Amino acid sequence: MPTSSPADTPYDLAITGGSVVLPDGTAPHDIGVRDGLIVHIGAGPLVARRSVDARGKLVLPGGVDAHCHMDQQPWEGRSTADDFRSGTLSALCGGNTTVLPFAMQMRGQSLRAVVDDYHERASRKAHIDYGFHLIVGDPTHDVITQELPELIESGCTSIKIFLTYEGLKLDDYEILTMLDFARHEGVLVMVHAENEACIRWLTDRLLERRQTALRYHVTAHSEIGEREAAYRAISFAELIDTPIMIVHVSSGSVVDEIRRAQARGLRIFGETCPQYLFLASEDIDTVDMSGAKCVCTPPPRGRANQPAMWRGLLDGTLGIFSSDHSPWNYADKIAGGPDTPFTDVLNGIPGIETRLPLLFSAMQTKPGLTLSKFVDITTTAPAKLYGLYPRKGVIAVGSDADFAIWDADRNVTIRNEMLHHAVDHTPYEGTRVRGWPVMTISRGEVIYQDGEVTSNAGRGLFLPCERPFAPRRSPAPVLAERPR
Ligand code: DUC
Ligand code: ZN
Ligand code: ZN
């Protein structure tokens, strides 16, 4: 759908000669940018103040990482290693132009105060544009009737809830209340699906038996507990008749639950992350403590689980692919030294810069993973689901001029020293990939080019997100006069 607008004045930027990935396919086009927006896609030549020669390269919409943590307030006693400055720097060097991190409310806190503080941090430091998901850890009457409606109005239209973790987890009654609220407002609830009692009970039994090695993290965070929580969340979403997103799906059995729910016509969305496709529980089970670099929740499952994850991604059951970048330094992850019990290892792994290259490279070996599928699950679908489309997530006239230019033939061996996060390791150290983003453009500004960062911290803008769904003020169907 190339379109053009007459260029009576020079464009601010022209991107010429590249293979441009548009919603209806990839083709050579020249792109003209004015005032930070795409105003021309089609034939050249274009007169512009600055031109980028993209011959031999792929021009993709800038990646949208819809699940990442940065500048997060202390949790388990620590703040994330990345703040908005280093987190968004790492993101942009990995081909992203939009991030959606989390403003996290814990029990006893005001959500409004958490979000105000988060705005303050982000506006001074972000290199690229950002929106916020809201973690609701304390759904009080005030939060539900005052704070949340105002925050939604201001553009925070997605809410994450936890079914586990002290200080964050909601009980079943609170979950139903939040889902009913989301139906009423037309916002999306993201669910961390793990069964709290399963984790606690298994952990207690393991500790009684002094089974504290890293591999028991995977036992404690069982696949069955994840499946139960996912099924419960799906059931509650069905009861209330509102969409949910099961985030960081780690296991084939959860993929099966989501697939079954979707086949019944429910709007249940699924997200997975690189750690569930490219890492496995075997990577945690090391003779030394280095396996802690792969510890996150839910954990990567056994390598035999990976094909089911790929199937879920390729058949559309899992509709988005995010990093769940949760950066901690290795020394902090194993603060108790070589005998740190699994219960004390900080959960979460870095991955905001490697998310896109890992998946891009997999296009060589996964036949169903086409370039348009890659762009959809990493960029377009998250922009749509979180109310940012078509401003973000697509190359189209009128959209923000956000691009990642890829050299599809560049061979790279991932080393932590080449990454831009403030973390001392990557779980993907030594992984070889083919294809790398060589230039990132945000709202028409070249912010990264072949290893050189030309961005300034603080240039990123807050993105108010639209409500992804129409608000439904009617009561849940189950409350209809005639029982169904
Ligand atoms: N949940 C997340 O979404 N990210 C990191 C850790 C966690 O439990
Ligand atoms: Zn989570
Ligand atoms: Zn997360």
Side-chain angles (χ1 to χ4, degrees), residues 265-382:
L266 302 179
R267 283 183 301 170
I268 307 295
F269 301 101
E271 171 204 72
T272 195
C273 314
Q275 46 271 38
Y276 309 118
L277 301 175
F278 300 102
L279 300 177
S281 56
E282 289 87 341
D283 298 314
I284 294 177
D285 188 11
T286 47
V287 286
D288 59 9
M289 289 301 280
S290 62
K293 294 175 184 172
C294 302
V295 167
C296 55
T297 50
R301 307 295 173 185
R303 222 168 285 287
N305 173 65
Q306 288 175 344
M309 300 306 298
W310 280 107
R311 263 195 308 282
L313 197 65
L314 295 177
D315 72 11
T317 307
L318 302 169
I320 70 171
F321 181 77
S322 314
S323 71
D324 198 2
H325 179 75
S326 300
W328 314 107
N329 279 315
Y330 180 52
D332 294 330
K333 287 193 79 135
I334 54 153
D339 296 322
T340 307
F342 77 86
T343 44
D344 289 355
V345 175
L346 291 177
N347 280 318
I349 61 173
I352 205 163
E353 198 167 342
T354 45
R355 170 184 80 117
L356 294 173
L358 285 167
L359 195 69
F360 188 98
S361 188
M363 282 193 287
Q364 293 182 99
T365 50
K366 302 286 170 192
L369 185 59
T370 60
L371 188 54
S372 60
K373 176 85 178 168
F374 169 83
V375 169
D376 185 48
I377 59 182
T378 60
T379 302
T380 312

Side-chain angles (χ1 to χ4, degrees), residues 67-69 72 75-76 102 135 160 162 164-165 168 191-192 194 221 247-248 271 273 275-276 296-298 324-328 347-349:
H67 184 155
C68 49
H69 303 263
Q72 194 165 281
W75 184 29
E76 298 179 325
F102 294 83
I135 291 179
K160 185 176 178 195
F162 284 78
T164 185
Y165 290 138
L168 285 175
V191 181
H192 180 119
E194 286 189 284
H221 290 262
V247 293
H248 46 51
E271 171 204 72
C273 314
Q275 46 271 38
Y276 309 118
C296 55
T297 50
D324 198 2
H325 179 75
S326 300
W328 314 107
N347 280 318
I349 61 173

Side-chain angles (χ1 to χ4, degrees), residues 201-446:
W201 189 87
L202 288 165
T203 302
D204 288 347
R205 301 294 80 75
L206 290 162
L207 294 184
E208 272 169 12
R209 295 151 63 148
R210 296 195 167 72
Q211 290 174 318
T212 62
L214 289 175
R215 65 176 175 279
Y216 297 113
H217 171 75
V218 184
T219 314
H221 290 262
S222 64
E223 180 172 342
I224 294 172
E226 184 188 1
R227 188 189 67 201
E228 185 283 328
Y231 180 71
R232 185 160 30 109
I234 290 168
S235 303
F236 289 0
E238 183 173 10
L239 185 82
I240 303 293
D241 186 24
T242 199
I244 57 168
M245 162 73 71
I246 311 278
V247 293
H248 46 51
V249 172
S250 78
S251 72
S253 60
V254 175
V255 175
D256 289 342
E257 293 302 340
I258 297 173
R259 192 183 283 117
R260 265 197 286 275
Q262 291 171 346
R264 296 210 314 280
L266 302 179
R267 283 183 301 170
I268 307 295
F269 301 101
E271 171 204 72
T272 195
C273 314
Q275 46 271 38
Y276 309 118
L277 301 175
F278 300 102
L279 300 177
S281 56
E282 289 87 341
D283 298 314
I284 294 177
D285 188 11
T286 47
V287 286
D288 59 9
M289 289 301 280
S290 62
K293 294 175 184 172
C294 302
V295 167
C296 55
T297 50
R301 307 295 173 185
R303 222 168 285 287
N305 173 65
Q306 288 175 344
M309 300 306 298
W310 280 107
R311 263 195 308 282
L313 197 65
L314 295 177
D315 72 11
T317 307
L318 302 169
I320 70 171
F321 181 77
S322 314
S323 71
D324 198 2
H325 179 75
S326 300
W328 314 107
N329 279 315
Y330 180 52
D332 294 330
K333 287 193 79 135
I334 54 153
D339 296 322
T340 307
F342 77 86
T343 44
D344 289 355
V345 175
L346 291 177
N347 280 318
I349 61 173
I352 205 163
E353 198 167 342
T354 45
R355 170 184 80 117
L356 294 173
L358 285 167
L359 195 69
F360 188 98
S361 188
M363 282 193 287
Q364 293 182 99
T365 50
K366 302 286 170 192
L369 185 59
T370 60
L371 188 54
S372 60
K373 176 85 178 168
F374 169 83
V375 169
D376 185 48
I377 59 182
T378 60
T379 302
T380 312
K384 285 181 175 168
L385 266 171
Y386 294 113
L388 287 170
Y389 187 90
R391 178 172 178 187
K392 302 293 187 187
V394 64
I395 298 178
V397 169
S399 296
D400 280 1
D402 288 2
F403 307 98
I405 300 184
W406 285 73
D407 180 344
D409 299 320
R410 184 169 296 195
N411 292 305
V412 174
T413 302
I414 295 173
R415 301 279 177 214
N416 196 55
E417 66 206 25
M418 59 189 256
L419 302 178
H420 299 76
H421 56 200
V423 189
D424 57 6
H425 68 280
T426 166
Y428 306 105
E429 185 73 31
T431 302
R432 290 216 280 261
V433 293
R434 187 171 174 86
W436 199 261
V438 291
M439 183 184 288
T440 308
I441 297 171
S442 163
R443 283 180 277 108
E445 187 184 342
V446 176

Side-chain angles (χ1 to χ4, degrees), residues 108-126:
Q109 293 181 326
S110 149
L111 181 59
R112 173 86 259 172
V114 168
V115 173
D116 286 348
D117 175 63
Y118 215 44
H119 270 298
E120 216 268 314
R121 292 160 186 275
S123 64
R124 284 184 289 118
K125 296 187 268 190

